[in-house]
Amino acid sequence: MARPEYYITTAIAYASSKPHIGNTYEAIMSDSVARYRRARGFDVFFCTGTDEHGQKIQNYAEKAGQDPQTYVDGVSGVIKKLWDGMNVSYDRFIRTTEPGHEKAVQKIFERFLRQGDIYKGYYEGWYCTPCEAFFTDTQAAGGICPDCGAPVKKAREEAYFFNMQKYAPRLISHIESHPGFIEPEARKNEMLNNFLIPGLQDLCVSRTSFSWGIKVPSDPKHVVYVWLDALSNYITALGYDPDLDFDSQPELFRKYWPADIHVIGKDILRFHTIYWPIFLMALGLPLPEKVFGHPWFNFGTEKMSKSKGNVIYADRMADFVGVDGVRYYALAEMPYASDGSATWENVFKRYNNDLVNNLGNLVKRTLDMQKKYFDRVIQAPSAPAPLDDELRQACLRARDEMFAAMDSCRVADALAAVFRMLDRANKYIDETTPWVLARSEADRERLGTVLYTLLSAIRWGALLLHPFIPVSSDSILSQLGLPSAGGEPLYDALLRDCDLDALRPGDSVGESSVLFARVDETALMKQIIAEREAARKAAEAAAKAQEQSGAKPAAKDAAELISFESFMKTDLRSAKILSAEPVPGSKKLLKLTVDIGGEQRQIVSGIAAYYAPADLCGRTVIVVANLAPAKLCGVESRGMLLACGEDPVRVVFLPDGTPTGLRIR
């Protein structure tokens, strides 16, 4: 029987520097989905890789004193090694400097030209180097990139443009008629309301101000815009040829396209849910089934930043908690829609609590009891009791909840479901007290049944955990005397409830071993802090050496400059004013109740002299959502309203209909 195909991709990593845990999460998360789908019997093709062209790469290479190709060869190698180290089971690792990819992108560009989708003109606007994107005056208000918050600069150059409006109505119709195309749901609303419905600008698809990119064959002074280049990897990785119709494409492409899911970071959602679908429409290709924009990992409440020394790398984390410890932490800690938090303290605590205490201890003490009481031989479950069925039902619930969560990309929820079952198994040991049963020969059959039930639950849990922590899963199965989880679809048997009785009485379990070694949280935190301090001192020494060498410090503006990282700490959100009333005893203050995406806040603002309460109710504003609470005239305020001017003060209002809770960037 033919297996259904499943094509999953990550966003290809930008080959500028080594990815931190937030970037690595995407590869691990996608790997867990790919492994799960294989276990469910799908014929999976998992694609990842590196994005290696663009102005930023050229700048990095020049700074490193290397040619761009040499530079990206090195960084791409680092990324691939990191993915391999994290047991990412990809089927294809594509690089955009591969000749096959470059040739296909050139053909795509020339086809768009022939179709009249692309025209030549001049671009004058605000350019963001980190995003490699142009923005209008409105989009780049205040000289800041609306996507990443970095400063933008004015640029004018000859360029080719793609006519986005030609396909925009069709894309809007597709998004509205395919509810699962963009997930989570809030991201779909953001794309529609912020970009598509107000009207798309034509997209700049070539550059002439730098040379590191794929040259346009018919106009070699132009290089292809990095996003057209990078996005095309999803089809060029399958051998797509723009000169052939669908039925004449290579077998790999015909088999797996359209993609079942593109897994990407929420910051590049616009490129994947607007530009990429429109490019595919222009090529006459079906659109992917789903684009999932996952949230970010922050360091505590701060964005990770090398300059602040708060970046965590997956391979460094593995030095302390092992590869499966990293995989478990990343997958368990990242919510479905909101940003996750990664701190060293939490890494060590979760590892000890969940993997050492819960899973590892459950496996070892059960196997040790099986050896002590029955010389490792599995007994027949001949003396059942109601408690056994409770644990069996917990196993079945874990399977159903885990499958449902994985089918909807709720990976952390899937892991939580399995660990609830493991909690129940640990509780079952306390309830059945095998060490007490072992004292009486009359309870020997019951003891054998208890241990059989525990071993069955452990086997069940090991199979369910295989997509997340595959090495540990196979180790558990090996200790149970069972083969690894490879081979035929892993979960076929688990769909049959009777598989809980798959262990054969008379067989022997193996020797127990420590799955996860406990870490000394206090000692490791001292080590981490010492490493940070050493890095800080080294950075200060380097800065001092630069100053002594005669390098001039940057000139100060009228206002004190802050770093980009400092600015990004500010969490600006859209909010709707639900009510407004004067603060008793104050002529300046109004007490506002605002809705910030389903959460109501009380904010006190000094705008009473300029706005009546009735003028504010129902209006959508911008608030600072992560301001520490304060009391004004004895009234607590949890946030700040964005306004400008001194006299009069003008509140910054957003258009009616703007969704609440959107981050302002």
Side-chain angles (χ1 to χ4, degrees):
M1 181 178 174
R3 294 187 293 161
E5 294 82 14
Y6 191 85
Y7 183 30
I8 178 172
T9 74
T10 69
I12 50 177
Y14 201 54
S16 56
S17 60
K18 179 180 177 179
H20 57 58
I21 185 61
N23 308 126
T24 310
Y25 163 79
E26 183 174 301
I28 297 172
M29 181 266 188
S30 300
D31 179 68
S32 73
V33 175
R35 289 176 182 271
Y36 165 74
R37 289 290 175 173
R38 292 189 193 109
R40 293 297 302 269
F42 286 79
D43 180 358
V44 173
F45 194 86
F46 175 19
C47 183
T48 187
T50 45
D51 174 10
E52 302 182 13
H53 290 127
Q55 184 175 11
K56 187 161 63 171
I57 294 288
Q58 184 170 310
N59 293 345
Y60 273 103
E62 290 173 357
K63 188 175 181 180
Q66 297 177 331
D67 66 90
Q69 187 64 60
T70 301
Y71 183 82
V72 296
D73 286 347
V75 178
S76 181
V78 169
I79 294 170
K80 189 173 187 293
K81 182 180 179 182
L82 183 56
W83 276 205
D84 291 342
M86 291 297 112
N87 283 330
V88 178
S89 60
Y90 54 82
D91 298 284
R92 175 79 159 93
F93 189 97
I94 186 172
R95 297 180 57 187
T96 58
T97 52
E98 294 175 10
H101 171 80
E102 292 187 340
K103 184 177 180 181
V105 169
Q106 288 178 323
K107 287 185 176 183
I108 290 171
F109 195 97
E110 295 296 331
R111 177 170 167 178
F112 288 165
L113 270 174
R114 292 194 303 271
Q115 293 175 176
D117 293 317
I118 288 177
Y119 62 91
K120 185 187 284 189
Y122 281 89
Y123 194 91
E124 184 169 6
W126 296 101
Y127 182 70
C128 173
T129 299
C131 293
E132 308 231 18
F134 281 102
F135 298 97
T136 63
D137 290 342
T138 302
Q139 291 170 326
I144 297 296
C145 172
D147 282 349
C148 74
V152 293
K153 61 182 179 181
K154 202 73 171 179
R156 184 180 190 274
E157 63 183 89
E158 182 182 273
Y160 285 95
F161 294 84
F162 192 101
N163 181 2
M164 289 281 138
Q165 280 299 326
K166 178 178 177 181
Y167 298 94
R170 182 175 159 192
L171 178 57
I172 292 172
S173 175
H174 181 87
I175 292 173
E176 291 178 339
S177 61
H178 293 75
F181 177 60
I182 304 174
E183 290 187 355
E185 179 78 9
R187 313 233 194 279
K188 179 189 81 171
N189 297 333
E190 181 182 350
M191 293 302 106
L192 284 170
N193 296 328
N194 291 3
F195 296 101
L196 282 163
I197 293 174
L200 284 179
Q201 301 280 336
D202 286 349
L203 180 68
C204 175
V205 290
S206 78
R207 300 294 308 281
T208 56
S209 59
F210 62 92
S211 59
W212 180 239
I214 300 173
K215 292 190 180 301
V216 175
S218 59
D219 198 349
K221 70 179 180 180
H222 288 258
V223 295
V224 178
Y225 170 64
V226 69
W227 279 104
L228 175 56
D229 169 8
L231 291 166
S232 299
N233 93 89
Y234 303 128
I235 51 179
T236 64
L238 301 176
Y240 173 72
D241 186 338
D243 291 342
L244 303 176
D245 60 26
F246 193 93
D247 292 336
S248 303
Q249 293 292 337
E251 180 183 358
L252 199 65
F253 180 82
R254 287 184 283 109
K255 182 178 183 181
Y256 289 107
W257 191 260
D260 291 88
I261 184 170
H262 292 318
V263 179
I264 62 165
K266 64 179 183 178
D267 54 321
I268 54 174
L269 198 72
R270 174 165 55 98
F271 301 99
H272 283 78
T273 60
I274 297 178
Y275 302 149
W276 178 228
I278 285 178
F279 293 155
L280 290 170
M281 289 175 178
L283 292 170
L285 296 176
L287 304 193
E289 294 295 323
K290 186 188 302 296
V291 179
F292 178 72
H294 65 76
W296 290 341
F297 258 130
N298 294 322
F299 186 84
T301 59
E302 300 178 341
K303 185 176 179 181
M304 286 193 188
S305 164
K306 291 180 183 178
S307 64
K308 293 165 67 175
N310 64 2
V311 171
I312 298 178
Y313 293 103
D315 51 354
R316 180 57 173 153
M317 192 188 297
D319 290 340
F320 301 119
V321 299
V323 171
D324 275 356
V326 176
R327 288 176 62 100
Y328 173 76
Y329 181 81
L331 297 173
E333 194 68 24
M334 181 72 84
Y336 171 72
S338 57
D339 289 346
S341 172
T343 65
W344 283 112
E345 294 91 338
N346 201 19
V347 168
F348 300 142
K349 189 175 295 295
R350 243 195 194 280
Y351 173 80
N352 278 339
N353 290 345
D354 296 359
L355 294 181
V356 177
N357 293 346
N358 193 336
L359 175 58
N361 191 41
L362 170 66
V363 174
K364 189 163 194 329
R365 64 174 173 164
T366 300
L367 288 170
D368 287 348
M369 287 189 290
Q370 189 70 38
K371 179 180 180 180
K372 179 178 181 180
Y373 301 137
F374 296 104
D375 195 25
R376 303 207 310 262
V377 178
I378 299 172
Q379 305 298 298
S382 55
L387 276 175
D388 308 342
D389 191 56
E390 288 183 24
L391 181 54
R392 290 170 57 89
Q393 291 303 313
C395 291
L396 298 178
R397 277 196 307 275
R399 174 201 63 193
D400 295 343
E401 291 172 0
M402 181 266 203
F403 284 9
M406 290 301 289
D407 287 343
S408 59
C409 296
R410 297 179 179 272
V411 179
D413 293 340
L415 261 177
V418 180
F419 271 76
R420 282 194 294 272
M421 183 269 286
L422 297 175
D423 285 337
R424 185 65 190 85
N426 278 303
K427 182 180 178 183
Y428 174 84
I429 294 177
D430 296 335
E431 292 170 332
T432 56
T433 58
W435 52 90
V436 175
L437 295 174
R439 297 171 187 166
S440 170
E441 187 63 30
D443 291 327
R444 191 163 179 80
E445 282 192 39
R446 177 60 188 152
L447 175 62
T449 300
V450 166
L451 291 178
Y452 182 93
T453 305
L454 276 171
L455 292 171
S456 296
I458 289 170
R459 169 185 170 272
W460 192 267
L463 294 175
L464 290 179
L465 288 172
H466 192 266
F468 314 109
I469 48 174
V471 173
S472 300
S473 169
D474 282 345
S475 177
I476 294 170
L477 294 173
S478 176
Q479 291 181 51
L480 291 173
L482 300 171
S484 70
E488 291 302 307
L490 180 60
Y491 292 156
D492 279 0
L494 266 64
L495 291 171
R496 301 187 295 271
D497 295 357
C498 62
D499 190 61
L500 273 169
D501 301 315
L503 294 176
R504 294 184 303 184
D507 285 355
S508 295
V509 299
E511 289 284 354
S512 68
S513 61
V514 176
L515 275 173
F516 306 100
R518 180 175 300 279
V519 298
D520 186 331
E521 298 175 40
T522 302
L524 288 182
M525 281 311 304
K526 288 181 179 179
Q527 180 180 339
I528 295 295
I529 292 170
E531 289 175 358
R532 281 189 199 159
E533 182 63 15
R536 184 187 66 79
K537 288 181 178 179
E540 288 180 353
K544 187 175 182 180
Q546 183 180 14
E547 182 180 349
Q548 291 174 345
S549 70
K552 294 181 179 179
K556 290 188 176 181
D557 203 345
E560 183 179 351
L561 295 177
I562 63 171
S563 68
F564 167 62
E565 288 78 16
S566 296
F567 172 78
M568 288 303 292
K569 292 180 183 180
T570 308
D571 186 10
L572 301 176
R573 299 279 172 173
S574 58
K576 187 173 184 178
I577 299 177
L578 304 177
S579 66
E581 60 183 272
V583 172
S586 173
K587 295 181 179 180
K588 296 181 178 180
L589 302 179
L590 289 179
K591 182 174 69 174
L592 312 173
T593 301
V594 301
D595 176 8
I596 309 178
E599 177 191 359
Q600 291 190 14
R601 294 270 193 95
Q602 179 174 286
I603 294 177
V604 178
S605 181
I607 56 173
Y610 310 102
Y611 293 93
D615 297 331
L616 297 170
C617 292
R619 302 292 299 274
T620 304
V621 295
I622 300 172
V623 301
V624 181
N626 62 339
L627 195 66
K631 284 193 175 182
L632 303 176
C633 288
V635 180
E636 184 179 61
S637 179
R638 295 180 57 224
M640 179 183 290
L641 212 63
L642 215 62
C644 61
E646 296 293 335
D647 192 8
V649 171
R650 296 178 178 85
V651 172
V652 178
F653 293 110
L654 294 175
D656 292 342
T658 300
T660 59
L662 294 181
R663 185 169 186 183
I664 310 300
R665 294 180 295 167

